[in-house]
Structures are given as structure tokens and as C-alpha cells.
Amino acid sequence: MLTVPYGDRDAMVNAIIGAIKQGGLFAVDVDMVPPKIGQACHVWLPVATAGEANLTSMNGERRMSPYPFIQMNPQDMADIKVKAGDLVEVYNDNGSTQAMVYPTTTARRKETFMQFASPNGVQGNVVSPGVNELVIPNYKQTWAAIRKLSDAPEGARQLSFKSLEYSVG
């Protein structure tokens, strides 16, 4: 898309169709903070919803205040001496990101979960450059270390950290 003249709709459509014909995938990234995945996308759009286009910077500041979270087994949390709401860094040789710890009793030991498309997270920064046959990054099997950055910030101390899973009965 970078080779297409700005505003040339026909050229843009042809570039999109060309990308699909070459690899079967046309990628668009909508982000506030630039993740690594955005560098591989054909189009990068600012974070804004309908009616917020003229307030993108204000909208971005509002969206940056909640923390992305990482779900962890409570025993793993105890191993690295973190509590619900504490801020941690998730890092590996590919990069790093930050998250708020969310206890999840059903999480397997030594396995964590971060939501891929969270509007507040940049977990793509720790994903390896490896891809599958459809050129989709290998999100599901990313290895990383976790270390505590700080105790829970004031904004997280009032959260309930109740289970995110629906239970019947």
C-alpha cells in the first residue's frame, strides 16, 4: 500500500486484490500503540470509533488508561510473588509488553493467556516472527518470561477480579 498514491481509490483496490491473489491475506491493523504485527499489515488505521474521528488523541488517552490483563494460575502468581492487579512485564527475545495480573483458577500451571485483540494490549510485541502457511503469526505458542513491575496501581485496587468464566448452577 505504501507504493500506491494517496487518494487513488482504484490503485488501492488493485493493491488489495493483488495482495489477496499473492498470499490470500490482506491485513489491517487498528491500534493506538504500534505493535510489531502492524509493521506487516497493508493498512494501519488509528484507534477511533464512529463519532470519535475528530477526537482521536482524546479517545486514545481514554483507551490507554485501562490495563491489558494477563490471566495466570494463582500458584504461578505466588511463585513470582505477584497479587491480583499487580503490573508485570512479559518479555522474550522478540520484545516485551506490560499487563495487569488477573488470577484464573482454571488456567493451567505455567500457561498464561492474554487476549489477542485487546484494545489496550500490545502482546504482538512478544510474538515470534514465525508464521503458519497462511502467513498468520504464531500467537498461540509464544514463550516468554514474566517479572513484576509494581504493586497494583490505584485504578486496579478497586477491581473485583471475579472469574471471567460463566458457571451454571
Side-chain angles (χ1 to χ4, degrees):
M1 292 300 286
L2 297 176
T3 61
V4 176
Y6 177 77
D8 186 340
R9 184 174 294 246
D10 289 336
M12 293 171 83
V13 169
N14 288 336
I16 292 168
I17 292 170
I20 292 169
K21 285 182 178 177
Q22 286 179 8
L25 180 67
F26 177 77
V28 177
D29 185 33
V30 181
D31 262 306
M32 181 67 185
V33 178
K36 286 185 180 181
I37 186 86
Q39 296 170 13
C41 290
H42 296 91
V43 176
W44 202 342
L45 300 173
V47 175
T49 60
E52 294 181 322
N54 293 331
L55 301 171
T56 301
S57 64
M58 252 174 60
N59 177 43
E61 290 168 8
R62 179 175 53 82
R63 289 177 189 220
M64 291 295 286
S65 58
Y67 299 96
F69 61 88
I70 183 167
Q71 291 176 265
M72 294 181 70
N73 180 290
Q75 291 175 300
D76 292 338
M77 291 170 55
D79 290 349
I80 63 170
K81 298 177 177 48
V82 295
K83 301 176 298 304
D86 286 354
L87 300 183
V88 295
E89 178 181 35
V90 180
Y91 64 97
N92 60 21
D93 291 343
N94 299 309
S96 68
T97 191
Q98 295 78 41
M100 178 182 66
V101 175
Y102 202 111
T104 305
T105 57
T106 55
R108 291 181 183 167
R109 295 256 305 138
K110 306 298 181 190
E111 292 184 16
T112 61
F113 176 78
M114 285 184 77
Q115 185 178 4
F116 160 66
S118 171
N120 305 315
V122 288
Q123 52 277 38
N125 289 346
V126 296
V127 175
S128 77
V131 296
N132 68 12
E133 68 278 3
L134 299 174
V135 197
I136 296 174
N138 193 14
Y139 298 112
K140 304 268 185 204
Q141 293 86 25
T142 297
W143 295 91
I146 300 172
R147 63 179 157 222
K148 182 175 178 175
L149 293 175
S150 72
D151 289 337
E154 186 64 36
R157 292 183 193 148
Q158 58 210 342
L159 299 176
S160 71
F161 297 100
K162 64 182 180 177
S163 175
L164 298 172
E165 298 177 19
Y166 176 77
S167 61
V168 178

